[in-house]
Amino acid sequence: MIYKPPSGETRPLPFGRSPSRPLRILRLLISIRETTASYNQFSLPLRDEQEITLCTFFPTEIRMPKEIRLFDGDGTVRGYFRVLKAAMAQREYDVVHAHSPHVGCFFLMATVLRRRARRSSVCTVHNSYRSFKLRNRLLLLPVFAGFSRVVCCGLASYRSFPPWFKWLAGKRLSFVPNGVDIGRVDRAVQSGEARTAAEDFAVVSVARLIDVKHPGTVLHAFRKVDDRKSRLTFLGEGLLGGQLADDILAHGLNHRVTLGGLVAREAVYETLRTADLFVSASAGEGLPIAVLEAMACRVPVLLSDIPPHREIADGVDFIPLVAVEDVDGFAREMRTFQEMPPSQRAAIGEQCRRLVLRRFSLPVMHRGYETIYRELADKSAR
């Protein structure tokens, strides 16, 4: 099944359920952090429209709104089965939605004799096949075989899976592109001061500091175009943080390059508000939320040439794509943006914003999942 964004403004009630009762969703997660998509994109924006219950494997690191029920695991398999059993015993759910192959397998194990509980089960694949470790690829096998629906986070993710994975899931496999909470972005940045043309050229990269994201490529490309006035900010944490800090010091960039660490989403948006360019040199993604959030903040983006980034840039000419690890290529494109008049960068930023509104907004994503939920509920009722 290939997803197509719904057209028109008519939005039927999901599932033929009573309009007096909101949809009941049980979401299964590994953990909840500031960057967790299944919380920020799927749960938080809908907390007033749905009755959402979250069940996590690891203890939750952030404060939960009162509208969302939370069953917090303790980081052990036994603890997760305990909270999963408690969550499922509390009420009947319209949909059980898993957001990782790990918790998906736990759910299948817990419901091996409860066929009814699986009838309205969905698992979202939040990455591309090549980005999964071997262990996780193996965990995806029972997920593709056992869930009522398996949803990839974008067309590139869908296309990345081998034919035999697609055969295993059959018509139960589809894709819905990730969406950005543009309202949350706007609320975070509307009170801030507008950027002025007199300020230095500011580059931002938001990603985990790990090998597959290639933060070193971004740093060394920036060093090649550094005019001793430009600034580069990394937001994120990871195993390469120490090495990156050493490289920054070794090249005398400590006054112009900042390692901001893991920060709240609103702090990310505030940083993007003052940026001239967002850069991602990643070698593997699902459909990157950080890129879409930068575009929603009206920031031009410079991306590595990988299928998920091609999906974002499809049909437009204002998003340059550079081969992975091509430091000179990133430096060349970075310099092009650096030398642009601020008005031209602002115009590109507006084009980025319109692209996200049209193809990668939360309403588009939520309508896609609403269609899937309704099909599952109708089938379960029959």
Side-chain angles (χ1 to χ4, degrees), residues 302-372:
L302 167 59
L303 309 176
S304 52
D305 190 5
I306 58 175
H309 289 161
R310 287 182 220 134
E311 180 176 354
I312 294 173
D314 183 41
V316 303
D317 60 1
F318 51 84
I319 300 178
L321 301 176
V322 178
V324 176
E325 296 189 83
D326 182 0
V327 173
D328 290 335
F330 274 99
R332 181 178 61 253
E333 296 295 341
M334 222 179 271
R335 184 176 292 107
T336 297
F337 279 102
Q338 186 184 48
E339 294 174 351
M340 279 182 188
S343 59
Q344 185 177 352
R345 288 198 298 265
I348 294 174
E350 287 294 339
Q351 290 178 296
C352 288
R353 166 84 172 198
R354 289 196 294 269
L355 176 61
V356 170
L357 283 169
R358 186 173 70 252
R359 292 170 46 197
F360 302 108
S361 67
L362 273 192
V364 172
M365 186 188 82
H366 288 162
R367 287 198 293 270
Y369 277 97
E370 183 178 286
T371 299
I372 292 170

Side-chain angles (χ1 to χ4, degrees), residues 8 24 61 64 77 89 91-92 111 114 120 129 133 136 197 245 262-263 275 311 315 318 345 353 360 367 376:
R24 292 174 178 171
E61 299 182 6
M64 194 63 50
V77 173
R91 60 170 56 187
E92 291 286 333
T111 58
R114 299 176 62 183
S120 296
Y129 179 76
K133 297 178 181 179
N136 294 343
L262 184 66
V263 300
E311 180 176 354
F318 51 84
R345 288 198 298 265
R353 166 84 172 198
F360 302 108
R367 287 198 293 270
L376 284 176

Side-chain angles (χ1 to χ4, degrees), residues 79-377:
Y80 187 72
F81 275 111
R82 181 174 63 251
V83 294
L84 177 58
K85 180 180 179 181
M88 296 185 66
Q90 185 190 59
R91 60 170 56 187
E92 291 286 333
Y93 297 97
D94 297 298
V95 175
V96 178
H97 194 154
H99 289 273
S100 84
H102 313 76
V103 295
C105 287
F106 291 148
F107 171 75
L108 294 176
M109 293 168 63
T111 58
V112 66
L113 299 177
R114 299 176 62 183
R115 185 177 178 183
R116 181 180 177 184
R118 297 187 183 186
R119 288 178 181 169
S120 296
S121 62
V122 182
C123 185
T124 292
V125 181
H126 287 283
N127 219 329
S128 297
Y129 179 76
R130 296 171 186 82
S131 297
F132 283 108
K133 297 178 181 179
L134 176 60
R135 178 195 62 187
N136 294 343
R137 293 180 184 180
L138 295 176
L139 290 175
L140 283 170
L141 290 171
V143 167
F144 272 59
F147 270 76
S148 292
R149 291 295 295 272
V150 181
V151 184
C152 296
C153 64
L155 177 59
S157 171
Y158 175 89
R159 287 176 171 171
S160 71
F161 279 87
W164 53 279
F165 260 92
K166 296 177 181 176
W167 171 84
L168 185 61
K171 294 182 179 180
R172 294 176 292 109
L173 178 65
S174 61
F175 74 89
V176 175
N178 278 339
V180 174
D181 190 344
I182 295 174
R184 185 179 179 184
V185 170
D186 289 347
R187 288 190 298 273
V189 303
Q190 66 183 356
S191 60
E193 296 181 4
R195 178 169 177 76
T196 66
E199 293 182 82
D200 299 334
F201 183 71
V203 181
V204 175
S205 180
V206 182
R208 286 183 294 161
L209 304 181
I210 56 177
D211 286 330
V212 72
K213 304 297 184 180
H214 291 287
T217 297
V218 178
L219 176 64
H220 294 307
F222 174 80
R223 185 166 63 90
K224 284 179 174 287
V225 301
D226 179 30
D227 58 359
R228 308 194 71 80
K229 293 181 180 179
S230 299
R231 296 180 288 111
L232 169 62
T233 300
F234 289 97
L235 296 181
E237 59 183 16
L239 296 176
L240 295 182
Q243 177 182 328
L244 210 59
D246 292 341
D247 288 345
I248 291 169
L249 285 174
H251 294 292
L253 296 171
N254 49 302
H255 297 300
R256 295 186 298 284
V257 180
T258 302
L259 296 178
L262 184 66
V263 300
R265 300 314 294 169
E266 279 69 20
V268 173
Y269 307 148
E270 290 170 4
T271 301
L272 290 170
R273 172 175 49 82
T274 62
D276 294 293
L277 180 65
F278 176 96
V279 181
S280 172
S282 176
E285 297 285 349
L287 189 64
I289 294 296
V291 174
L292 299 177
E293 288 176 332
M295 295 170 66
C297 289
R298 298 179 172 86
V299 181
V301 296
L302 167 59
L303 309 176
S304 52
D305 190 5
I306 58 175
H309 289 161
R310 287 182 220 134
E311 180 176 354
I312 294 173
D314 183 41
V316 303
D317 60 1
F318 51 84
I319 300 178
L321 301 176
V322 178
V324 176
E325 296 189 83
D326 182 0
V327 173
D328 290 335
F330 274 99
R332 181 178 61 253
E333 296 295 341
M334 222 179 271
R335 184 176 292 107
T336 297
F337 279 102
Q338 186 184 48
E339 294 174 351
M340 279 182 188
S343 59
Q344 185 177 352
R345 288 198 298 265
I348 294 174
E350 287 294 339
Q351 290 178 296
C352 288
R353 166 84 172 198
R354 289 196 294 269
L355 176 61
V356 170
L357 283 169
R358 186 173 70 252
R359 292 170 46 197
F360 302 108
S361 67
L362 273 192
V364 172
M365 186 188 82
H366 288 162
R367 287 198 293 270
Y369 277 97
E370 183 178 286
T371 299
I372 292 170
Y373 292 165
R374 184 168 60 250
E375 291 173 355
L376 284 176

